[in-house]
Amino acid sequence: INGIYAQSIKNDFGIIHQKLGQRAEATRRFQLAVEANPRFSTAWFNLGSNYFQNGEWERAAASFRAAIAGNARSEEAWGALGWALENCGDDREAVVCFRRALELDPGLLVVPVRLADLLARFSRAHVVGALRAVVGELRAGVGQPVPPTAEKVISSFVVTDTAAGMICSPEGAKLVI
């Protein structure tokens, strides 16, 4: 298949094979689509998703990076890259990607949960820093309501005194932020 619609048709066949559980053929079709147009971000995203489903984290990350190169405003690609990097063990870079995804779409559902899990793995100083930023935004009144998904990020903490910058963990430990 050649011509203007070649990339889309190849990508569409990849989606069909992916839905049928024929991942090897889906991979081949997505690869043909990106060969037809190396800036076809949708096909790169689909290729990355296919690799992700196969547990091929590095390949998934590379494909999601290519999707972002084609469309830097794709919150899905940023979130998926974060998830792939998390599975590669690159937690710090995953946090950067998750934050970028949330900047692009504050209403994402999965990303705040992944971000909270990652932040919980970091040292106390990193968690305190993240909470300091959240409380600072709440104090400043960022001009838009806090997305419901952000509640998941901070739901395990009880804010006892935002003016003094104090929070309590579920275990009752007080942190001054």
Side-chain angles (χ1 to χ4, degrees):
I1 301 173
N2 293 318
I4 194 165
Y5 299 109
Q7 67 189 26
S8 294
I9 291 170
K10 292 170 184 176
N11 182 63
D12 291 346
F13 275 117
I15 293 169
I16 291 168
H17 287 288
Q18 191 176 41
K19 289 184 184 214
L20 292 172
Q22 301 167 349
R23 290 205 174 89
E25 185 60 21
T27 297
R28 189 177 82 77
R29 297 294 180 143
F30 293 136
Q31 288 172 336
L32 289 171
V34 298
E35 286 172 12
N37 179 359
R39 304 241 345 129
F40 188 18
S41 62
T42 302
W44 279 114
F45 180 84
N46 290 335
L47 180 60
S49 296
N50 200 53
Y51 284 139
F52 190 91
Q53 290 173 358
N54 289 334
E56 299 177 61
W57 317 123
E58 291 85 9
R59 286 183 169 182
S63 296
F64 293 137
R65 286 184 198 281
I68 291 166
N71 179 9
R73 299 205 45 83
S74 172
E75 72 280 352
E76 287 181 323
W78 280 103
L81 176 57
W83 211 337
L85 290 170
E86 179 184 359
N87 281 295
C88 289
D90 191 351
D91 291 348
R92 293 189 189 282
E93 189 64 26
V95 167
V96 170
C97 293
F98 288 142
R99 285 185 172 153
R100 180 66 178 134
L102 283 173
E103 286 172 11
L104 293 168
D105 184 357
L108 290 174
L109 297 176
V110 175
V111 171
V113 176
R114 299 299 332 131
L115 184 56
D117 288 346
L118 281 171
L119 290 175
R121 291 184 205 165
F122 291 150
S123 70
R124 180 175 177 262
H126 289 284
V127 174
V128 170
L131 290 170
R132 195 175 273 148
V134 169
V135 171
E137 288 174 10
L138 292 175
R139 279 191 202 146
V142 290
Q144 61 181 357
V146 177
T149 52
E151 294 298 322
K152 292 180 182 178
V153 176
I154 58 174
S155 64
S156 63
F157 292 89
V158 178
V159 177
T160 57
D161 185 357
T162 56
M166 188 177 297
I167 60 168
C168 285
S169 71
E171 299 79 26
K174 292 183 179 179
L175 299 174
V176 176
I177 57 174

